[in-house]
Amino acid sequence: MGRRLARVTSRTMLTHVRHVTPVAPDAADGPVARVYGQLADDFGVLAPPVLLHSPAPDVLRACWLMLRETLLAEGLVGRDAKEVVAAAVSESNRCPYCVEVHGATAAGLLGDAGGWLTAGVGGIGDPRLRALADWARHSGDDGPARRRPPPFPAEHGPELIGVAVAFHYLNRMVSVFLQDSPLPPTPAGVRAGVRRTAARIMGALARTGRPPGRSLELLPPAPPEADLAWAVGQPHVAAAFARAGQAVRRAGAAALPEHVRRRVLACVADPPPPEPGGRWFDAVVAELSPPERPAARLALLTALAPYRVTDADVAACRDGGADDAALVAITAWASLAAARRIGARLYGGGLGPPAAGVPVADAAVGEEASRAGEA
């Protein structure tokens, strides 16, 4: 069913992507074709949140490793719980596209328990899943809420923290590069029926288990890093994030100068309080040279407030020489910096010790300081 559905829907899926031109399935070769093949087999559709990465093949592979080995691969945690985490994280990040997709999948798996399709995360009836959704919604918080004990045993941490980190990453990329909803514009009454149909299809696709580790051969091995200590209990999850992190770090090093990356990391480590108008972002980039400001601003916004990225922000990067691959690399590096910081905090907030002495600014991208010169 997966490959057939992927072929039927592939042309429509490409139209969901904005700002960059994804590689069309019939034009894909090499690493891109391999990812597309696995995506069709294991996810069932050529999902635009993955497709948007295709102008940068190494980053595409990194994205797929993180998504597949957490959300799709079989392990100790059921797919229904993982989809609840994916939808709840997406809701907290104001990512309606991912809420639609993963809310529908959860509804299809759970039989719309508690009225998910109409009430969203708040409509979950199962107390265990409701507690898990609440944990996921607060997973990105910097305040005391994140220090509450997680509502699952430590051995489930690699998979559930992994899903949370993957979606803190993906939500940022989706906010920048995709339209608001995967569903076509329809009247309210018709839209409810479309959602029910989507839930049936996505739920059916999600019921088939996927063996862990299939995607790992797409990227070379990478050493473990301290801020990924939360993943060590599941080797396929740990390997996926180590390999993906190495690929994204190298792409970021090629797209952004070292001092710009350091500045962005410092801001991710110590983000500002919310303020209207984004004046703080303007002040940070004003410290850089004029040619560096557009890419630095895009990276900062992607990491800390992706919903604020505008067409003008992307156009300014293009005017500075960034092509599709560079746009994907800049935003992916920033997204993963923010997401990995969240993962390290979640592990230190109830499932294990803080990330082995790694400074928060460096924890987001591993040994960034020592590898900054690598391209």
Side-chain angles (χ1 to χ4, degrees):
M1 178 180 177
R3 290 248 177 179
R4 185 170 65 253
L5 182 61
R7 284 196 301 272
V8 170
T9 61
S10 62
R11 190 174 298 276
T12 299
M13 295 299 181
L14 292 172
T15 67
H16 294 189
V17 182
R18 58 186 182 180
H19 300 315
V20 297
T21 302
V23 177
D26 57 3
D29 58 12
V32 175
R34 292 169 70 191
V35 172
Y36 282 10
Q38 289 195 12
L39 182 60
D41 287 341
D42 291 346
F43 196 69
V45 294
L46 294 179
V50 179
L51 292 182
L52 70 85
H53 293 78
S54 59
D58 285 351
V59 182
L60 171 71
R61 288 186 279 183
C63 168
W64 175 237
L65 261 67
M66 291 187 288
L67 178 64
R68 187 197 184 277
E69 300 304 331
T70 57
L71 185 71
L72 308 184
E74 294 177 307
L76 300 176
V77 181
R79 181 69 180 272
D80 56 350
K82 293 178 181 181
E83 291 291 347
V84 166
V85 169
V89 168
S90 301
E91 186 178 276
S92 73
N93 284 330
R94 309 187 206 180
C95 183
Y97 192 103
C98 291
V99 171
E100 286 275 15
V101 172
H102 297 283
T105 306
L109 289 170
L110 297 168
D112 197 17
W116 179 290
L117 289 176
T118 55
V121 173
I124 298 174
D126 184 307
R128 178 184 65 90
L129 293 178
R130 191 165 60 245
L132 192 57
D134 188 59
W135 171 83
R137 276 190 295 198
H138 291 288
S139 59
D141 291 357
D142 274 321
R146 71 175 177 84
R147 299 188 182 94
R148 293 176 299 178
F152 50 83
E155 58 266 28
H156 291 182
E159 294 172 54
L160 293 174
I161 293 179
V163 172
V165 173
F167 277 84
H168 278 293
Y169 168 81
L170 276 170
N171 292 161
R172 286 164 168 80
M173 297 299 288
V174 167
S175 291
V176 175
F177 291 109
L178 295 190
Q179 63 189 33
D180 285 344
S181 174
L183 302 180
T186 53
V190 176
R191 192 175 186 84
V194 171
R195 282 178 165 169
R196 286 192 293 272
T197 300
R200 285 195 296 272
I201 293 171
M202 297 304 293
L205 290 171
R207 287 191 179 94
T208 303
R210 309 300 179 193
R214 181 190 182 197
S215 69
L216 297 181
E217 51 90 18
L218 296 170
L219 285 173
E225 298 178 35
D227 72 305
L228 298 176
W230 54 264
V232 296
Q234 286 283 16
H236 64 285
V237 176
F241 276 88
R243 296 177 190 210
Q246 180 173 261
V248 172
R249 177 169 48 247
R250 288 176 173 167
L256 292 166
E258 177 184 351
H259 67 279
V260 172
R261 299 199 310 277
R262 288 182 178 276
R263 187 72 184 115
V264 172
L265 288 177
C267 295
V268 169
D270 186 21
E275 62 165 76
R279 292 185 298 274
W280 182 86
F281 297 99
D282 296 330
V284 170
V285 300
E287 301 172 8
L288 302 170
S289 69
E292 294 168 339
R293 291 173 190 168
R297 179 179 173 83
L298 179 62
L300 275 172
L301 287 170
T302 300
L304 299 176
Y307 52 88
R308 284 184 169 177
V309 173
T310 66
D311 292 352
D313 292 314
V314 177
C317 284
R318 286 204 178 277
D319 290 343
D323 58 10
D324 282 4
L327 288 172
V328 171
I330 290 165
T331 49
W333 177 84
S335 296
L336 194 55
R340 283 179 64 159
R341 178 176 181 264
I342 290 169
R345 285 205 326 264
L346 288 172
Y347 182 66
L351 288 178
V358 177
V360 172
D362 288 339
V365 287
E367 298 172 4
E368 176 77 20
S370 63
R371 301 181 185 181
E374 294 182 10

